[in-house]
Amino acid sequence: MSLVAIVGRPNVGKSTLFNRLVGTRQAIVDETAGVTRDRHYGKCEWNGKEFSVVDTGGWTSNSDDVFEEAIRKQVVIAIEEADVILFMVEASNGITDYDSQIADLLRKSGKPVVLCVNKVDDVAKVYDTYQFYRLGLGEIWGISAANGSGTGDLLDEIMRVLPEDTSAEDDFPDLPHIAIVGKPNVGKSSLTNALLGEERNIVTPVAGTTRDSISSHYNKFGHEFILVDTAGMRKKTKVNEDLEFYSVMRAIRSIERADVCILMIDANAGLEAQDMSIFNLIIRNRKGCVLVVNKWDTVTKDSNTMRDYDRALRARLAPFDDLPIIFTSVINKQRIMDVLDAAAHVYENYSRRIPTARLNEAMMPEIENYPPPAWKGKYVKIKYVTQLPTRFPAFAFFCNLPQYVKAPYKRFLENKLRDHFDLLGCPVTIFIRAK
């Protein structure tokens, strides 16, 4: 899937435009309740095509002495990772020094750039937009992110310059794609080397992979899949804001082209905020997930340490806590095969098709025993359920009054599906439709 990054100096309306692009789409499609929404990342659909949007606004520093450098870092990272750069400026302020510096970087990048002039709220301000032709970035698109005027033409231009999606073009389209993701220094490179380093002749390069991502054909020990290696993620040489931004952008790339994601965390650090951010990306993209707790050999343990750690992790991950959690030491080659077995099991669940007859045989008695709550004296009657023909597990329940089925009952339906069918590691999407 293509990636569009919104760049520009602070206070030009990047977040406002971001929310306008992804807000409606989120409300319609993301029907899974309880998923934390990372405000820096979302998806936009226009004229039947979908692309990802990243807002770089949240990672800039407010300190004057590093202001210029912080903005520059964000733009450089966005140029490296994104397919299209949406460069945002403000009509009333004219061309600032920061605008000129960003424009210089964008002109040299060779990437498609869409120049967007915000806060064109009335006809008089249209004349203020013409000065931005001096930036040398081509056509100008005047919009008002606050009220939405001009955003339709802007989206048309984005769709025109978006490259063709080549993520699915590989030599093994029928094999599962498994991505190893996580923040820097959790052992992704070590796990990749441990999996691929023994018999190099079995590993073959795969054509058509995403830029700066290494994909390998893994075929040994009874497992065959495409391993999407994200070991090239920047190392943690210093802790600053652009590091997290780079990690999340790289994670977006890897997650979107995978079927199952192996999320690695550090046993000593636990599940930190950035780990949760990547986990939420996995769930929002409806990918299978295996959680790997690495460096378990460095933890002081007693007889109940693993059990207590497992419970604490599942409590933090709730409501989606039905996933495999593997405790490993990659350096010591401890439980590495368990990770592969778990990923294979999750992919099997992820791609399983459940016959409609079996679904109704299992679910209709559960619904009869615990029907949807009445709403304002109206009773909801669910007639039948079927699995939708999507890549991820999605189920449609048909009833007479779908608007009265609320999130708690959807959660009940999901739990009953998990009770009757093995959906370990797979986010489940419930749709309520009119009969």
Side-chain angles (χ1 to χ4, degrees), residues 309-321:
Y309 203 111
D310 185 284
R311 287 179 178 175
L313 284 177
R314 294 185 189 279
R316 181 85 188 277
L317 296 172
F320 178 47
D321 56 2

Side-chain angles (χ1 to χ4, degrees), residues 15-16 20 35 46 56 59-60 66 82 97 116 150 198 203 232 234 245 273 279 290 292 298-299 322 333 354 363 366:
S15 295
T16 304
R20 178 165 293 279
V35 176
W46 186 251
T56 63
W59 284 278
T60 56
V66 295
D97 291 341
C116 167
E198 296 175 4
V203 181
R234 181 180 299 182
F245 176 55
F279 178 74
V290 176
V292 173
T298 64
V299 175
D322 185 24
K333 304 290 193 299
I354 304 174
M363 292 301 296
E366 299 285 1

Side-chain angles (χ1 to χ4, degrees), residues 397-402 432-435:
F397 290 79
F398 292 88
C399 66
N400 57 336
L401 299 167
I432 308 297
R433 294 290 181 257
K435 176 69 174 71

Side-chain angles (χ1 to χ4, degrees), residues 358 361-363 366 415-422:
R358 281 190 60 202
E361 181 182 341
M363 292 301 296
E366 299 285 1
N415 290 337
K416 290 303 177 183
L417 282 168
R418 294 186 183 278
D419 289 345
H420 287 280
F421 306 100
D422 187 359

